[in-house]
Amino acid sequence: MTNRRPLIAGNWKMYKTPAEAAETARQLVERVTGVTDVDIMIAPTFASLEPVFKVIQNSPVALGAQNLFWENEGAYTGEISAPMLKSVGCEYGIIGHSERRQYFGETDETVNKKIQAAIQVGLKPVFCVGETEKEREDEQTLSVLDKQVKKGLEGLVSDQLDTLIIAYEPVWAIGTGKTATDEQAQEAHQFIRSLVKKTVDNDLAESIRILYGGSVKPANIAALMEMPDIDGALVGGASLDAESFSQIVKFK
Ligand code: PGA
């Protein structure tokens, strides 16, 4: 890590009722009050956004959404738009998580539209990329990342991307307990940074935060954060418990 400000983000996926989410948020706020050198975000389910926001307002913890649709409003049953998420306090929006690509038909094209929609309303996109186990075995990791990053950012220019965050999440490491080694993660992060340099520009490549995700825990965060191109983490399972997530936040 260099002088980029770390971001530790929790993806709560489809867990916790609104009451449970608010309680975990309360416990987290208690534990991270006073943390000033790390950005912290949690992304509960849509139903929990408002109750969680009430708890974390005026704390170091920011709110994120797990997904969004690219139109602002309309006849799109079951969807939610970027302006709606902003209006309930979201600062970040996770886009293109591998579970959405795998189970809900997200493609590089829809991911691109969602990134544009988020940027338009000032929601910081957390743009997820990563290879499957088969792709890694077939030595396609870098070509998969190349395609995902280029297509995801197509048509966007440097000025629009200053709030962009990229999360490298090898699909085989998500929820499996298998973490990429620090070196595997560093190699992918360095490659993604070089892609940003090639396709956008050098300044953005230097400033953009690239998070690692996939079985991050209190026990492995410090070593990951030692890597020069790892600027934070997107945490699933270990973010559901306030104590373990706060230990990750306080990795130093
Ligand atoms: P995990 O999930 O930490 O449970 O592996 C990470 C993610 O899906 O963002």
Side-chain angles (χ1 to χ4, degrees):
M1 227 198 63
T2 59
N3 56 359
R4 291 180 288 270
R5 190 176 159 82
L7 168 62
I8 304 291
N11 171 10
W12 288 359
K13 307 192 179 182
M14 201 173 72
Y15 292 102
K16 298 184 189 291
T17 63
E20 290 163 352
E23 174 55 21
T24 307
R26 192 192 60 73
Q27 294 172 6
L28 178 64
V29 168
E30 216 172 65
R31 287 167 171 76
V32 300
T33 299
V35 172
T36 54
D37 50 357
V38 176
D39 287 339
I40 309 165
M41 177 267 263
I42 48 178
T45 67
F46 293 141
S48 297
L49 288 173
E50 277 209 274
V52 166
F53 185 60
K54 283 202 188 110
V55 174
I56 64 179
Q57 239 176 333
N58 307 317
S59 86
V61 185
L63 192 64
Q66 298 175 17
N67 179 33
L68 56 96
F69 189 59
W70 58 81
E71 295 290 349
N72 287 347
E73 61 175 14
Y76 302 104
T77 303
E79 294 294 324
I80 190 159
S81 72
M84 291 169 186
L85 294 169
K86 270 289 269 199
S87 75
V88 293
C90 287
E91 185 177 329
Y92 299 86
I94 299 173
I95 295 174
H97 189 279
S98 65
E99 286 151 16
R100 297 221 47 94
R101 294 180 191 251
Q102 189 180 347
Y103 304 126
F104 303 101
E106 296 231 349
T107 63
D108 294 327
E109 289 72 24
T110 61
V111 166
N112 177 261
K113 288 185 185 181
K114 292 179 179 199
I115 293 175
Q116 304 210 27
I119 288 170
Q120 217 151 45
V121 296
L123 206 57
K124 299 171 182 164
V126 180
F127 164 33
C128 303
V129 296
E131 80 288 0
T132 62
E133 186 149 40
K134 168 102 178 51
E135 288 162 344
R136 178 162 283 268
E137 279 166 5
D138 293 349
E139 297 183 3
Q140 286 174 351
T141 299
L142 301 186
S143 64
V144 167
L145 294 176
D146 184 89
K147 175 174 152 290
Q148 290 176 335
V149 170
K150 282 187 184 152
K151 291 206 161 186
L153 299 183
E154 206 162 80
L156 288 155
V157 297
S158 182
D159 286 354
Q160 298 169 289
L161 295 174
D162 57 345
T163 63
L164 179 76
I165 292 139
I166 298 180
Y168 168 63
E169 299 205 304
V171 179
W172 49 271
I174 295 179
T176 57
K178 284 193 227 171
T179 323
T181 64
D182 306 333
E183 291 73 23
Q184 281 171 328
Q186 168 58 23
E187 185 197 15
H189 281 231
Q190 192 176 22
F191 179 71
I192 292 168
R193 202 176 297 287
S194 75
L195 277 175
V196 173
K197 184 171 172 173
K198 246 195 316 196
T199 53
V200 189
D201 68 33
N202 195 32
D203 286 351
L204 186 73
E206 283 303 313
S207 64
I208 192 167
R209 291 182 290 184
I210 307 177
L211 314 182
Y212 169 77
S215 300
V216 173
K217 304 180 227 22
N220 58 24
I221 183 70
L224 286 162
M225 293 301 287
E226 287 285 314
M227 297 290 121
D229 288 295
I230 299 184
D231 309 311
L234 181 54
V235 187
S239 73
L240 293 168
D241 175 69
E243 180 54 31
S244 73
F245 189 56
S246 68
Q247 286 176 21
I248 295 172
V249 168
K250 300 179 201 170
F251 63 90
K252 278 181 204 155

